[in-house]
Amino acid sequence: MCSSFDLPGPWNTAAVLMGNGLTGGGRYVRQRRAALRRKAAGQEVLFYAVVAVLLLVFSWTAVAGSYALRPFTETVIRRNGHG
């Protein structure tokens, strides 16, 4: 699915949708066939929510950091004779 970003036009979208559908479908089937189903406790749900938000903030920070470091990286590449 990740390599589909190189595909032109509608094939890119089709590959991403198909990959997400297969992943979601596989997770659904796995969950339904699980021998044991337990309900998550309130603190556990809160923990997962906090971790998800922290991962999202970290990814935004990484993207923002890459934009901030781009001029520095270009300078280093040009200084080494590759630009």
Side-chain angles (χ1 to χ4, degrees):
M1 182 179 97
C2 292
S3 65
S4 71
F5 293 110
D6 293 346
L7 295 174
W11 293 109
N12 178 8
T13 304
V16 169
L17 289 175
M18 188 169 48
N20 285 333
L22 288 171
T23 301
R27 293 185 69 162
Y28 176 77
V29 168
R30 182 176 176 214
Q31 180 68 22
R32 296 297 299 166
R33 290 185 178 176
L36 174 66
R37 292 189 192 129
R38 66 175 191 83
K39 293 186 178 184
Q43 289 181 340
E44 185 179 4
V45 172
L46 179 63
F47 173 77
Y48 290 142
V50 168
V51 169
V53 168
L54 288 175
L55 288 173
L56 188 60
V57 168
F58 177 74
S59 67
W60 289 340
T61 303
V63 169
S66 69
Y67 282 114
L69 289 175
R70 183 174 288 170
F72 173 75
T73 306
E74 288 176 353
T75 302
V76 170
I77 290 171
R78 283 193 185 113
R79 188 178 308 150
N80 289 333
H82 296 289

